[in-house]
Structures are given as structure tokens and as C-alpha cells.
Amino acid sequence: MSLNGINFEWKPKRLDFDTKIKPFESEDTDLNNFLKNDAKNYLKQRLAVTYLIENDVETIAYFCLSNDIVLRLFSDKEGWKKIKKSIPNAKLRSIYPAIKIGRLAVATDYAGNGFGKLILQIVREMYSSETQPSGCRFVTVDAYQNAVHFYQKHKFEFLTSDDENEKTRLMYYDLQAIQ
Ligand SMILES: CC(C)(COP(=O)(O)OP(=O)(O)OC[C@H]1O[C@@H](n2cnc3c(N)ncnc32)[C@H](O)[C@@H]1OP(=O)(O)O)[C@@H](O)C(=O)NCCC(=O)NCCS
């Protein structure tokens, strides 16, 4: 597969205990260290599954997925109004199933070539209503402030404005939007 002339393995590789992790350098040291030192521990503790996008020699990007919930308690009035609008009355709840993108990083050398966008597409496809292994309505992310615009561009919304000045902002995407 090729994106902007960059070749890579099309199918994201699910990290396993014996996976040899290829070098990875993004602009975020925490995200680099997580992949190197902690991703397998998260797998072992069943806290997150990591997926790798690679070429022959290096890791181009990675992301982690964990089960999550969208909870009325975590939203403000405006945020919940938007959620309610998209759900039929008979199915209104104060809690909905979700999948969380725990971490998402593109290597500095490959940034701006569409890999972030591709990962969001991959997650949407993994949880499309034809293939999802359990009910899942939303994709959530605790977005770094510098990535908020990236997620907004891809139709993620805020659940609350209470976290406006926090290091990360809770955002969600409604998977029903792709029906
Ligand atoms: C944020 C990040 C994931 C984006 O990935 P990327 O591969 O560089 O982004 P893409 O090339 O797929 O960009 C897709 C679109 O989003 C836009 N975009 C990318 N980063 C953006 C940003 N920070 N703000 C606004 N728009 C952004 C691009 O212009 C592009 O728009 P287009 O489709 O109209 O051309 C990547 O820059 C990264 O890993 N950053 C460091 C780690 C990080 O902040 N991760 C997020 C953790 S929550």
C-alpha cells in the first residue's frame, strides 16, 4: 500500500508479546516511550491493544484501543443534548458503549501524509455495524490540545467545555454517522 508515495504494510499489525517493535520517533516523548516500554504491559494487563503501521524498517504510526463508555456524568448540558439528538427516544440512556483511542501517534518523518486520517478510518471500519463484535456506538479520545483541531476536522465533538483548559480534552465521534 502507498500513501503520498510512502510504502507501508496495508494491514495494521496487532502487537503481540513476541512482536519485535521497529524504531519509532514522533514529536512526543511519552508516546515514543509508551510503545517501546509499556505497550506489551498494557496488553498483558488487558488494558489496551496496540496496532502498528510499519514499513520494512520502521514504525510509521501506532494506535491503541480500549473499551470505554460515554457517560452523561462526564458531559455538560450542551454536550449531552447533542448526543441525545442522534439517539432514538426509546433508546435514550445515560451511558453508551464506546471504543477509546488511547494513544495515536505518527512518526515525525511521516506526519502530514494522511496516516492520522487513515488510522481514524481504520478504527471506524473495525467498528462498523457489519463487523463489530459487540455493541459500540462512539469512538472516544482524550485529545492532546495540539491535536484537538485534527480530531475536529474529522468530526469529533466535545462532550463538555469543563476540560477547556486541561492538558487533554474528551472528544467523541458517533459511529452512526457512517451509516
Ligand atoms: C496529530 C497527528 C496524529 C496527525 O497525524 P498526521 O498523519 O500528521 O495527520 P494527517 O496527515 O492524516 O492529516 C489529516 C488531516 O488533518 C489535518 N491535521 C493534521 N494535524 C493537524 C493538527 N494538529 N491540527 C489541525 N489539522 C491537522 C491535516 O491538515 C489533514 O487535513 P486534510 O485531510 O484536509 O489534508 C500527528 O501529527 C501526531 O502523531 N502528532 C503527535 C502526537 C499527538 O499529538 N497525538 C495525538 C494524541 S491525542
Side-chain angles (χ1 to χ4, degrees):
M1 177 86 179
S2 167
L3 202 57
N4 248 359
I6 301 164
N7 293 321
F8 61 100
E9 293 287 329
W10 157 236
K11 209 169 150 24
K13 183 197 275 180
R14 186 183 185 280
L15 180 93
D16 210 339
F17 297 114
D18 56 7
T19 304
K20 193 169 179 311
I21 299 170
K22 294 175 182 171
F24 178 75
E25 284 301 328
S26 78
E27 62 189 43
D28 187 293
T29 314
D30 287 346
L31 291 170
N32 300 342
N33 289 340
F34 174 84
L35 181 61
K36 224 178 292 167
N37 305 322
D38 236 359
K40 288 183 183 176
N41 295 333
Y42 270 62
L43 179 66
K44 191 167 180 202
Q45 294 303 325
R46 299 175 189 243
L47 296 175
V49 174
T50 300
Y51 294 87
L52 309 161
I53 295 182
E54 304 175 318
N55 61 20
D56 287 348
V57 288
E58 56 190 332
T59 307
I60 292 176
Y62 81 88
F63 60 102
C64 299
L65 297 178
S66 304
N67 289 359
D68 195 18
I69 48 172
V70 165
L71 194 59
R72 188 172 173 176
L73 256 184
F74 294 164
S75 77
D76 62 11
K77 223 169 153 192
E78 276 309 301
W80 202 251
K81 223 159 91 183
K82 267 191 227 152
I83 298 252
K84 275 172 73 179
K85 244 170 70 184
S86 59
I87 311 257
N89 272 345
K91 298 285 179 288
L92 287 176
R93 308 276 186 273
S94 54
I95 180 171
Y96 295 102
I99 186 74
K100 169 155 287 196
I101 301 178
R103 288 173 178 78
L104 189 174
V106 177
T108 311
D109 287 352
Y110 296 94
N113 283 290
F115 286 99
K117 185 175 173 179
L118 175 72
I119 287 172
L120 297 183
Q121 270 166 15
I122 290 169
V123 174
R124 284 175 191 140
E125 276 162 29
M126 284 168 93
Y127 288 88
S128 79
S129 52
E130 286 80 23
T131 56
Q132 59 178 226
S134 61
C136 176
R137 176 65 190 245
F138 297 102
V139 180
T140 59
V141 65
D142 292 315
Y144 287 179
Q145 289 286 0
N146 68 345
V148 159
H149 295 298
F150 166 74
Y151 289 109
Q152 279 182 312
K153 189 157 198 176
H154 295 95
K155 304 205 164 53
F156 278 71
E157 309 251 12
F158 299 117
L159 201 55
T160 177
S161 52
D162 292 349
D163 55 8
E164 241 167 16
N165 299 314
E166 302 291 324
K167 195 175 153 203
T168 59
R169 296 209 61 187
L170 177 54
M171 301 181 81
Y172 71 91
Y173 173 85
D174 186 353
L175 284 162
Q176 197 69 359
I178 48 173
Q179 298 307 305

